[in-house]
């Protein structure tokens, strides 16, 4: 009985690398990721560029990352606020 257990344990030890290799080879192959159509990628104006060569800081969905812009960055706008109601009126700030 002790010999049988030793043989089974030794066989399992030898087969373990083969089964692990077989399992990992079933992983899906992931190809290049395509850019979705209509995705707005704007250049992010900055004085320093820490991106790889050929890339620049861009804004994608409100997140700043490295990439290649596909649209021009909008010009900053200035907004001036004026009082829309007379002083002392309730509900105005």
């Amino acid at each position: 009985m002790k010999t049988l257990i030793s043989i089974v344990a030794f066989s399992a030890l030898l087969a373990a690398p083969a089964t692990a290799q077989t399992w990992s080879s079933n992983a899906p192959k992931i190809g290049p990721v395509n850019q979705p159509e209509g995705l707005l990628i704007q250049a992010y104006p900055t004085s320093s560029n820490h991106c790889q060569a050929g890339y620049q800081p861009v804004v994608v969905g409100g997140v700043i990352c490295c990439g290649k812009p596909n649209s021009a960055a909008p010009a900053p706008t200035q907004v001036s606020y004026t009082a829309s109601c007379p002083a002392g009126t309730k509900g105005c700030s």
Side-chain angles (χ1 to χ4, degrees):
M1 184 69 166
K2 194 173 190 178
T3 308
L4 180 62
I5 293 174
S6 298
I7 292 172
V8 170
F10 183 71
S11 299
L13 205 66
L14 288 177
T19 57
Q21 186 176 14
T22 303
W23 178 80
S24 66
S25 66
N26 293 334
K29 304 283 188 270
I30 299 175
V33 178
N34 294 331
Q35 177 180 333
E37 292 182 24
L39 182 65
L40 184 62
I41 302 175
Q42 296 177 336
Y44 182 76
T46 181
S47 59
S48 60
N49 183 358
H50 300 288
C51 297
Q52 297 176 354
Y55 293 98
Q56 70 183 60
V58 294
V59 178
V60 180
V63 178
I64 301 171
C65 55
C66 294
K68 295 180 181 179
N70 62 4
S71 67
T77 59
Q78 291 183 347
V79 179
S80 63
Y81 295 99
T82 58
S84 61
C85 58
T89 305
K90 189 174 183 177
C92 295
S93 55

